[in-house]
C-alpha cells in the first residue's frame, strides 16, 4: 500500500497526527480514519465477533462490517464506530476492539478451533437444551456476558452540547451524488424550497471515486457551482437522514463537535441514496486485503491511496473493469477474473492497453493468508490455479439503498434483470432516482435524466467456493454453512433466518450480506428470491448517538427538579434530599442519625412518642369554586360530598374510566361554593389535566372553575401525641383543643395566614398546616421552636405502612376499590366516573389480588414475590411497600395477594431473587397499628 503523490480530495499541506492502539501515526486533512490507517500500512484493524478472526478494512462507507473502533479514552470513549465514517482530526485517538491482550496476539482467537461446535443456533441448544433447566444457564451466563459485545461502553456522559432543530421545505433530497445534485438544482431553479442532505462531508457521491479528469468530476463541479448561488436550496453535509416517519417528517442527525438532531418536515421526498456493492462467498473471503471493488476505487481516487501492489479484481458484472484499468495505470500489477466467457472488444482493448491480465470463464474459490492476503485459488477452463496477490477486489453486484423509501412505505421489489431489490410502486409524494432506482452506472445529464444505463446486468453469482470459512456476514461470523443449517432445521423464513443465525443483526445491518444470505436460502429451498421474501427496514438507518437524540434536554433540563418553599431551610437543618417525582424532598435529617436506616427509626420514634413536622408542600392543591362545585366533586370521587359541612374536610378516592383506582386525597369545604382539593404528589398533574379536560369537553354545562394553587400554598404535617401541645404554643390552647377531627381552622401566625385541618397520615394525632409560600420558613421555624422534631420522606412512608394507608405502591393503575379494601366507600346514590366499569365481572372475580399486611422476623423488600408453594410465573402476589417497625419490633409490609383477605393467619413464602433472599411471613390485616383509630382521634 502506498499514498500517491498527487490526486484525491485530501490536503497534503495539512498533515494530521493521530494514534491507533497508542501508536502515533499521520494522515492528511480530508482523510477518514480508515483511509489514514490504510495509508500507514495497517491492514489488520479488528477481530470478528464470534471467532476473533483477523479482519481488515472491507468498504469505504457505512457498509463497513469489520473496522469498528473505539474513539477517545476513559469515560468519554465512544465504542463501535466505523473507521470509514470517522473524519480524521488532529489528535484523534482510536483503539481496536474485541481482542485480548492485543490486536496482533488475540488469545480469544482460539475460539475458532471450536467453530464446528458453535454454528448457527448453538446458544439455544447449548444453554437452553432439554433437561438443563435454569441451573446450566446460570453457570454459562457469567462467561457469555464477559465475551458478549464488541467495545466497552462509556461510563461517563457525552459532554458535547447537542441541539435539536425543526425545519420545513417543499422538497427533501437525500443523497448528494450526481443524481441528487441534479434534481436539487432543477427543482430549486423553479423557486421551490429544497433541502439536500448528504451523509458525507463533501458532495459528489460515486463521482468522487472516479479520476479527476472524468466526465463525472466535471459534471460535479458544474452542479456545485450552479447550486452555490441559489437562495432556495440549503445543503447539509455530514448529515445522515436516518428515519422516515408519519406525515412527511424525516429525522436526520448531524454529528460533529456539536451534534444536531434535525426534524425535517417536507412536502415531497426524493431518495437519491445510491447503491451498495456486494461481495462473494468463498473460503477466506474475510482475510485482510479482501475488499469491495468500489471501495478500492474510492481510496484510489478520493484519498490518493493504492491499496495493493498485486491486485486481483473478481467481478460478475462490468463495474470492476474501470477499477482494474485504474489500478494498473496507478502502477499495480492487476489480474481481472470474470466467470463470464468474454468481454466486448472495446472492454478487452482497454484492459490490454492498461496491461491487465484477463482470466475469463474463471472464478475465485478461496483466499489464502493469515493476518493478510497472500494468494487466491482460481477455478477456470484450464483447471485450478493459484495466483499471488495482496489485494482482492470483489465486484459482486449492487444493492440499491432502499431503507428510507421502505420506512416511508415503499415496498422493495426483486428485479431479476438487476439481481437486486428495487423500489416498488411509489406514492405521489416520493420519488427514487439514480442508483437507488437501479440506474447503477447512470450519470444524469443537465435535465436530470440518465445518459447511460446498465446494459449488461450482473451474473447472479453469490457463492464461488465451499468451506467453513466462507462468510456471508463478516461482522457476525455467519457462514454459508450456517444458512444451510438454518434451512435444514426449519428456520426458512427471512425473519427466522435472521434471528437464528444473527445474519444482518450487526451495526452494519447486513448491508453487504442480507441479499446474499437471502439468495442462499432461496437456493436451499429451491425457490426464487422474491418467493423466499425480504426483510423490511426500520429506523435508524445508521447508529445515532443517544446524546444527539436527547439534544439539550439532559441532566436538569431533562429531569428537572421542583423545590418546595422550604427547600433552603431544610438543607440548612441537615436534610438529605431525594427525588420524589419532579420534586426534591427531605429524605431524612442527619440530626436524627448518621445514615438512612438509623435516622428513619429515630424519626418514627419521635412521631410515635412526641411531635414532629414534615414538609408536604408537594401535595397537589386546587381551589374549586362555583355553584356546581359539589356536583363536580360527586362525579370525580366515588364517595359522596353533598353533606360535607363548611369548615370540614373529607378523604376521597377517584376512579379511572375503566374502574381502577386513580388517586386519593383530602378535600376541604372553605365556603358554600368553594373547596380546596388536595391530591397525592405523584398524581397532581394528571388530576388537574383530567378535570380541565372534562370541564372543557364533557361537562361544559357545569358552572365551576378550578385553579392550581400548588405553588401558592406551602404545607407542613405536624404529627405525634404531643402535636396539640406544640400547636397550642402557636395559636393558643383553646383553638388547638377545639379543632375537631377533619375540622378546618383559618387563623394567622406572626402575620402569616394559616389554614389548619386536623388530619393524620401517620395514624397519630395530626394536623396539616397550610400557609402562603412566602411565609413557610416563618411557620417552620416557629413549630421547631415550639418543640417539634423533624422527619423526612422515608419515615413518612414507613409510618404509612404501619397504619396500613395505601399509596403509590398500591394505587398502581391495576387495583380496584375492592382490591384495596375500600369497596364500602363507593356511593350507591350517585353516579361517578368509573362506576359502571368497576362493576365488570372481571374486576370482582374470585382470585384477584387484595391488599394484606405481612409480618416477618427477617427483612422484607418491595417487589418480593409471594407464594404458598413453588413459584410459578409471578407467584401469588407481590410486596408493594416494606419497612422495619421500631414501634412493633418486627418487619412489616403491605402486599397484594391472591384472595388476600381469605389468607389472614396463613404463612406465605417471600422470594426476593434480586437480593437472593427467601423467608416466611405471616399474612394479616394491613392495619398494623391502632386499627380503631383511637390515636388520631384522641
Amino acid at each position: 500500500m502506498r499514498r500517491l503523490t498527487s490526486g484525491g480530495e485530501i490536503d497534503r499541506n495539512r498533515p494530521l497526527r493521530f494514534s491507533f492502539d497508542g501508536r502515533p501515526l499521520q494522515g492528511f486533512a480530508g482523510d477518514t480514519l480508515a483511509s489514514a490507517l490504510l495509508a500507514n500500512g495497517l491492514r489488520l484493524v479488528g477481530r470478528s465477533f464470534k471467532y476473533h478472526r483477523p479482519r481488515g478494512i472491507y468498504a469505504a462507507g457505512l457498509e463497513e462490517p469489520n473496522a469498528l473502533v473505539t474513539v477517545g479514552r476513559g469515560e468519554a470513549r465512544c465504542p463501535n464506530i466505523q473507521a470509514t465514517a470517522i473524519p480524521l482530526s488532529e489528535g484523534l485517538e482510536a483503539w481496536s476492539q474485541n481482542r485480548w491482550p492485543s490486536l496482533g496476539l488475540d488469545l480469544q482467537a482460539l475460539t475458532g478451533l471450536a467453530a464446528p461446535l458453535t454454528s448457527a443456533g448453538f446458544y439455544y441448544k447449548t444453554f437452553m437444551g432439554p433437561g438443563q433447566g435454569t441451573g446450566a444457564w446460570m453457570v454459562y451466563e457469567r462467561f457469555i456476558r464477559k465475551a458478549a459485545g464488541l467495545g466497552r461502553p462509556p461510563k461517563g456522559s457525552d459532554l458535547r452540547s447537542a441541539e435539536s432543530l425543526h425545519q420545513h421545505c417543499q422538497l427533501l433530497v437525500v443523497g448528494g451524488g450526481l443524481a441528487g445534485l441534479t434534481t436539487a438544482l432543477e427543482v430549486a431553479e423553479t423557486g421551490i424550497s429544497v433541502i439536500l442532505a448528504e451523509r458525507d462531508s463533501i458532495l459528489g457521491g460515486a463521482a468522487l471515486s472516479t479520476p479527476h479528469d472524468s466526465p463525472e468530476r466535471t459534471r460535479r463541479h458544474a452542479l456545485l457551482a450552479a447550486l452555490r448561488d441559489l437562495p432556495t436550496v440549503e445543503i447539509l453535509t455530514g448529515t445522515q437522514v436516518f428515519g422516515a416517519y408519519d406525515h412527511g417528517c424525516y429525522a436526520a442527525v448531524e454529528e460533529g463537535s456539536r451534534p444536531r438532531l434535525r426534524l425535517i418536515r417536507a412536502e415531497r421526498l426524493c431518495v437519491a441514496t445510491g447503491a451498495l456493492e456486494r461481495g462473494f462467498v468463498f473460503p477466506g473471503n474475510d482475510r485482510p486485503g479482501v475488499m469491495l471493488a468500489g471501495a478500492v476505487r474510492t481510496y484510489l481516487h478520493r484519498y490518493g491511496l493504492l491499496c495493493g501492489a498485486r491486485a486481483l479484481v473478481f467481478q460478475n458484472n462490468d463495474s470492476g473493469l474501470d477499477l482494474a484499468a485504474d489500478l494498473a495505470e496507478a502502477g499495480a500489477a492487476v489480474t481481472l477474473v470474470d466467470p463470464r466467457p468474454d468481454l466486448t472488444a472495446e472492454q478487452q482493448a482497454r484492459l490490454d492497453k492498461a496491461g491487465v491480465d484477463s482470466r475469463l470463464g474463471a472464478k475465485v474459490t478461496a483466499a489464502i493468508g493469515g493476518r493478510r492476503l497472500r494468494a487466491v485459488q482460481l477455478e477456470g477452463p484450464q483447471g485450478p490455479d493459484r495466483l499471488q496477490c495482496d489485494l482482492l477486489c470483489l465486484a459482486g453486484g449492487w444493492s440499491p439503498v432502499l431503507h428510507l423509501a421502505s420506512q416511508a412505505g415503499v415496498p422493495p421489489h426483486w428485479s431479476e434483470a438487476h439481481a437486486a431489490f428495487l423500489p416498488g410502486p411509489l406514492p405521489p409524494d416520493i420519488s427514487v432516482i439514480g442508483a437507488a432506482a437501479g440506474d447503477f452506472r447512470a450519470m444524469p445529464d443537465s435535465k436530470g435524466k440518465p445518459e447511460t444505463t446498465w446494459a449488461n446486468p450482473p451474473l447472479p453469482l453469490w457463492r464461488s467456493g465451499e468451506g467453513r470459512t466462507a462468510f456471508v456476514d463478516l461482522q457476525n461470523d455467519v457462514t454459508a454453512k450456517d444458512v444451510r443449517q438454518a434451512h435444514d432445521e426449519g428456520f426458512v423464513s427471512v425473519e427466522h433466518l435472521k434471528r437464528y443465525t444473527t445474519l444482518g443483526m450487526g451495526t452494519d445491518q447486513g448491508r453487504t450480506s442480507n441479499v446474499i444470505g437471502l439468495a442462499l436460502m432461496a437456493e436451499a429451498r429451491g425457490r426464487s428470491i422474491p418467493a423466499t421474501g425480504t426483510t423490511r427496514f426500520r429506523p435508524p438507518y445508521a447508529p445515532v448517538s443517544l446524546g444527539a437524540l436527547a439534544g439539550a434536554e439532559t441532566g436538569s433540563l431533562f429531569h428537572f427538579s421542583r423545590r418546595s418553599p422550604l427547600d433552603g431551610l431544610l438543607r440548612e437543618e441537615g436534610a438529605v434530599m431525594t427525588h420524589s417525582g419532579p420534586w426534591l424532598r427531605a429524605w431524612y435529617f442527619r440530626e436524627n442519625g448518621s445514615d438512612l436506616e438509623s435516622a428513619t427509626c429515630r424519626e418514627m420514634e419521635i412521631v410515635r412518642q412526641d411531635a414532629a413536622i414534615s414538609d408536604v408542600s408537594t401535595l397537589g392543591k386546587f381551589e374549586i369554586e362555583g355553584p356546581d362545585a359539589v356536583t363536580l366533586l360527586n362525579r370525580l370521587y366515588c364517595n359522596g360530598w353533598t353533606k360535607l359541612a363548611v369548615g370540614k374536610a373529607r378523604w376521597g378516592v377517584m376512579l379511572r374510566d375503566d374502574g381502577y383506582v386513580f388517586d386519593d386525597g383530602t378535600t376541604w369545604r372553605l365556603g358554600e361554593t368553594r373547596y380546596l382539593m388536595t391530591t397525592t404528589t405523584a398524581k397532581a398533574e394528571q388530576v388537574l389535566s383530567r378535570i380541565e379536560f372534562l370541564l372543557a369537553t364533557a361537562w361544559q354545562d357545569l358552572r365551576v372553575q378550578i385553579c392550581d394553587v400548588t405553588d401558592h400554598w406551602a404545607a407542613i404535617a405536624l404529627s405525634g401525641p404531643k402535636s396539640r401541645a406544640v400547636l397550642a404554643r402557636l395559636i393558643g390552647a383553646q383553638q388547638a383543643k377545639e379543632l375537631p377531627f377533619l375540622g378546618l381552622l383559618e387563623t394567622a401566625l406572626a402575620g402569616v395566614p394559616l389554614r389548619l385541618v386536623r388530619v393524620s397520615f401517620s395514624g397519630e394525632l395530626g394536623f396539616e398546616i397550610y400557609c402562603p409560600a412566602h411565609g413557610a420558613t416563618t411557620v417552620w421555624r416557629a413549630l421547631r421552636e415550639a418543640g417539634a422534631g423533624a422527619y423526612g420522606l422515608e419515615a413518612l412512608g414507613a409510618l404509612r405502612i404501619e397504619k396500613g394507608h395505601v399509596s403509590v405502591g398500591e394505587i398502581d393503575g391495576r387495583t380496584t376499590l375492592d382490591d384495596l379494601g375500600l369497596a364500602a366507600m363507593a356511593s350507591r346514590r350517585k353516579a361517578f366516573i368509573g362506576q359502571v366499569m368497576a362493576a365488570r365481572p372481571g374486576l370482582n372475580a374470585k382470585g384477584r389480588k387484595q391488599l394484606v399486611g405481612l409480618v416477618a422476623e427477617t427483612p422484607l423488600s418491595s417487589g418480593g414475590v409471594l407464594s404458598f408453594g413453588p413459584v410459578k410465573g409471578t407467584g401469588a402476589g407481590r410486596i408493594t411497600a416494606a419497612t422495619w417497625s421500631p414501634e412493633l419490633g418486627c418487619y412489616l409490609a403491605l402486599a397484594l395477594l391472591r384472595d388476600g383477605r381469605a389468607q389472614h393467619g396463613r404463612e406465605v413464602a417471600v422470594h426476593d431473587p434480586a437480593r437472593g433472599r427467601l423467608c416466611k411471613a405471616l399474612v394479616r390485616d394491613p392495619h398494623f397499628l391502632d386499627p380503631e383509630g383511637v390515636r388520631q382521634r384522641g
Side-chain angles (χ1 to χ4, degrees):
M1 291 183 288
R2 61 184 175 87
R3 182 84 78 172
L4 302 181
T5 57
S6 63
E9 300 295 325
I10 58 173
D11 187 349
R12 291 173 174 81
N13 296 317
R14 291 179 56 199
L16 299 175
R17 295 170 296 176
F18 72 102
S19 66
F20 182 68
D21 282 349
R23 175 183 172 183
L25 302 168
Q26 179 179 296
F28 295 108
D31 265 324
T32 62
L33 175 61
S35 66
L37 290 173
L38 288 172
N40 281 275
L42 299 182
R43 289 193 182 272
L44 176 62
V45 296
R47 294 280 178 164
S48 69
F49 173 62
K50 186 161 57 171
Y51 301 134
H52 289 258
R53 290 174 61 86
R55 293 286 168 82
I57 293 168
Y58 185 72
L62 289 178
E63 68 273 26
E64 172 58 46
N66 295 332
L68 301 180
V69 300
T70 294
V71 177
R73 64 165 68 205
E75 293 188 350
R77 65 179 178 268
C78 188
N80 295 330
I81 307 297
Q82 291 164 309
T84 52
I86 304 173
L88 194 65
S89 59
E90 178 66 26
L92 177 72
E93 292 182 279
W95 308 85
S96 59
Q97 302 180 158
N98 202 41
R99 79 293 188 276
W100 184 86
S102 67
L103 179 60
L105 179 62
D106 182 10
L107 297 182
Q108 296 181 83
L110 294 174
T111 58
L113 299 176
L117 302 177
T118 56
S119 58
F122 80 95
Y123 26 81
Y124 299 118
K125 302 168 188 174
T126 305
F127 308 136
M128 303 176 186
Q132 294 196 49
T134 60
W137 169 248
M138 300 307 291
V139 174
Y140 300 133
E141 182 186 25
R142 180 161 52 94
F143 301 99
I144 294 301
R145 290 195 182 280
K146 188 175 182 180
L150 292 173
R152 291 185 301 156
K155 294 184 178 179
S157 60
D158 189 345
L159 300 180
R160 297 177 300 170
S161 176
E163 63 182 7
S164 299
L165 301 177
H166 291 262
Q167 296 180 273
H168 297 79
C169 64
Q170 291 172 281
L171 174 66
L172 171 63
V173 179
V174 182
L178 296 185
L181 293 173
T182 302
T183 299
L185 176 62
E186 182 181 16
V187 174
E189 285 178 334
T190 67
I192 292 176
S193 62
V194 178
I195 292 178
L196 186 147
E198 167 57 47
R199 179 202 64 82
D200 208 337
S201 58
I202 57 176
L203 299 171
L208 298 171
S209 301
T210 62
H212 66 90
D213 57 352
S214 67
E216 291 87 350
R217 290 280 186 133
T218 302
R219 177 67 179 152
R220 170 182 177 267
H221 292 312
L223 289 169
L224 294 180
L227 285 168
R228 195 174 296 121
D229 300 326
L230 285 176
T232 55
V233 61
E234 179 181 3
I235 296 177
L236 305 175
T237 56
T239 302
Q240 174 68 56
V241 179
F242 64 82
Y245 301 91
D246 293 341
H247 312 297
C249 182
Y250 304 94
V253 65
E254 180 182 353
E255 290 284 3
S257 58
R258 188 177 189 184
R260 290 184 177 92
L261 176 67
R262 297 178 182 267
L263 297 178
I264 304 171
R265 289 169 172 82
E267 295 178 13
R268 289 184 56 86
L269 171 69
C270 177
V271 179
T273 47
L276 299 177
E277 196 166 24
R278 302 189 295 259
F280 299 96
V281 177
F282 52 82
N285 64 339
D286 64 328
R287 301 293 184 192
V290 179
M291 302 176 66
L292 293 174
V296 174
R297 201 169 189 229
T298 297
Y299 289 118
L300 178 65
H301 294 301
R302 177 172 175 176
Y303 301 105
L305 175 65
L306 186 61
C307 292
R310 297 182 61 85
L312 189 147
V313 178
F314 178 27
Q315 67 171 24
N316 66 350
N317 61 86
D318 294 346
S319 64
L321 296 171
D322 290 335
L323 172 63
D326 292 348
L327 288 175
E329 291 166 0
V334 182
T335 300
L336 177 73
V337 176
D338 194 321
R340 298 174 297 180
D342 51 44
L343 300 175
T344 66
E346 181 182 356
Q347 292 170 341
Q348 189 64 59
R350 185 187 177 194
L351 294 177
D352 293 341
K353 181 180 179 181
V356 176
D357 178 27
S358 300
R359 299 290 186 97
L360 302 181
K363 61 182 180 180
V364 174
T365 56
I368 302 167
R371 297 181 186 174
R372 61 187 303 162
L373 177 69
R374 301 191 181 278
V376 297
Q377 188 74 34
L378 299 183
E379 184 70 41
Q382 287 77 39
D385 194 5
R386 178 170 173 154
L387 292 181
Q388 302 295 319
C389 65
D390 59 4
L391 176 64
L392 174 57
C393 312
L394 305 181
W398 298 84
S399 297
V401 179
L402 302 179
H403 298 66
L404 196 63
S406 179
Q407 293 168 18
V410 179
H413 169 72
W414 180 257
S415 169
E416 292 290 348
H418 296 79
F421 284 101
L422 302 184
L426 298 171
D429 60 339
I430 296 177
S431 60
V432 183
I433 62 173
D439 296 327
F440 295 132
R441 298 190 62 184
M443 186 182 76
D445 61 15
S446 59
K447 299 299 182 180
K449 298 180 180 179
E451 292 180 345
T452 60
T453 58
W454 194 296
N456 191 357
L459 179 70
L461 174 67
W462 316 103
R463 177 174 50 197
S464 60
E466 301 285 346
R468 69 180 183 86
T469 61
F471 290 95
V472 179
D473 186 323
L474 297 180
Q475 189 172 111
N476 285 338
D477 283 343
V478 179
T479 66
K481 179 183 176 183
D482 291 327
V483 176
R484 183 70 193 193
Q485 182 177 329
H487 170 270
D488 294 343
E489 297 182 3
F491 296 92
V492 295
S493 73
V494 175
E495 294 79 7
H496 291 164
L497 169 65
K498 177 178 180 179
R499 285 156 181 80
Y500 192 65
T501 65
T502 70
L503 174 69
M505 294 180 66
T507 59
D508 66 332
Q509 295 189 10
R511 294 188 178 95
T512 60
S513 61
N514 276 351
V515 172
I516 298 176
L518 183 59
L520 295 180
M521 177 57 75
E523 178 185 284
R525 298 186 65 184
R527 305 178 64 178
S528 66
I529 289 179
T532 303
T534 182
T535 56
R536 301 292 289 269
F537 306 100
R538 69 187 74 176
Y541 170 70
V544 180
S545 67
L546 295 179
L549 293 177
E553 287 76 27
T554 61
S556 60
L557 292 178
F558 174 73
H559 193 289
F560 61 91
S561 298
R562 298 186 66 180
R563 301 175 186 268
S564 86
L566 291 166
D567 183 86
L569 180 57
L570 297 176
R571 294 173 187 268
E572 290 178 8
E573 293 194 355
V576 177
M577 309 303 288
T578 187
H579 275 283
S580 176
W583 291 91
L584 278 172
R585 300 184 67 178
W587 195 8
Y588 65 93
F589 289 83
R590 292 191 181 92
E591 68 178 33
N592 298 318
S594 58
D595 55 29
L596 174 64
E597 185 176 350
S598 60
T600 300
C601 290
R602 176 60 186 145
E603 289 168 10
M604 293 174 69
E605 290 174 356
I606 297 174
V607 172
R608 296 295 184 211
Q609 299 171 13
D610 200 327
I613 55 176
S614 181
D615 179 18
V616 293
S617 302
T618 60
L619 295 175
K621 297 176 281 290
F622 312 121
E623 287 210 16
I624 299 172
E625 186 169 10
D628 295 326
V630 70
T631 303
L632 174 65
L633 295 176
N634 274 328
R635 293 180 181 180
L636 293 172
Y637 288 110
C638 69
N639 48 321
W641 295 83
T642 305
K643 296 181 180 180
L644 181 66
V646 175
K648 294 286 287 184
R650 178 171 294 169
W651 180 61
V653 178
M654 298 181 188
L655 304 186
R656 296 190 320 217
D657 293 338
D658 57 7
Y660 288 99
V661 176
F662 177 45
D663 192 46
D664 71 318
T666 305
T667 295
W668 319 342
R669 189 170 188 178
L670 305 177
E672 285 298 324
T673 60
R674 187 181 178 198
Y675 295 80
L676 178 66
M677 173 189 289
T678 67
T679 70
T680 62
T681 300
K683 294 289 180 63
E685 294 181 0
Q686 296 178 45
V687 170
L688 177 61
S689 176
R690 175 192 182 92
I691 297 174
E692 289 179 334
F693 173 79
L694 290 170
L695 290 177
T697 56
W699 300 341
Q700 297 183 44
D701 58 318
L702 291 187
R703 297 165 297 167
V704 64
Q705 298 291 328
I706 183 170
C707 179
D708 183 0
V709 294
T710 301
D711 293 333
H712 179 79
W713 291 94
I716 301 169
L718 170 63
S719 305
K722 298 182 181 179
S723 58
R724 183 182 282 113
V726 171
L727 188 62
R729 298 184 185 108
L730 272 62
I731 65 171
Q734 190 66 25
Q735 282 188 317
K737 181 179 180 181
E738 292 179 353
L739 185 61
F741 183 64
L742 294 177
L744 171 65
L745 172 66
E746 298 197 54
T747 183
L749 171 67
V752 178
L754 300 182
R755 284 178 177 169
L756 287 82
V757 63
R758 187 176 155 196
V759 63
S760 175
F761 192 69
S762 63
E764 299 292 338
L765 175 65
F767 305 85
E768 286 184 0
I769 305 169
Y770 289 73
C771 65
H774 64 81
T777 56
T778 299
V779 176
W780 180 275
R781 287 194 176 104
L783 288 166
R784 293 283 272 161
E785 291 171 0
Y791 67 105
L793 186 62
E794 192 73 16
L796 188 66
L799 294 166
R800 171 189 64 81
I801 296 172
E802 287 185 331
K803 185 58 181 172
H805 286 318
V806 296
S807 189
V808 177
E810 296 76 44
I811 304 178
D812 64 353
R814 295 175 290 178
T815 51
T816 66
L817 287 171
D818 186 66
D819 295 341
L820 301 178
L822 303 175
M825 289 191 64
S827 173
R828 292 184 174 87
R829 299 181 179 180
K830 68 179 183 72
F832 55 88
I833 292 177
Q835 183 181 40
V836 174
M837 299 299 283
R840 287 178 294 170
L843 297 190
N844 297 275
K846 181 178 175 58
R848 288 190 60 83
K849 295 175 181 177
Q850 299 170 335
L851 182 67
V852 297
L854 300 178
V855 179
E857 297 180 355
T858 53
L860 301 173
S861 302
S862 297
V865 179
L866 309 179
S867 70
F868 293 104
V871 178
K872 295 182 180 179
T874 58
R878 69 185 186 282
I879 294 178
T880 57
T883 187
W884 162 257
S885 172
E887 178 85 357
L888 301 176
C890 59
Y891 292 95
L892 307 178
L894 297 181
L896 291 168
L897 179 65
R898 189 175 296 118
D899 290 326
R901 288 190 289 272
Q903 311 298 339
H904 288 184
R906 291 189 65 184
E907 192 174 64
V908 65
V910 182
H911 304 259
D912 190 351
R915 300 170 181 83
R917 294 200 298 243
L918 174 63
C919 66
K920 298 289 186 179
L922 181 67
V923 182
R924 54 155 294 174
D925 183 271
H927 304 291
F928 303 103
L929 193 68
D930 187 26
E932 295 81 14
V934 174
R935 296 188 182 186
Q936 64 187 22
R937 289 182 171 83

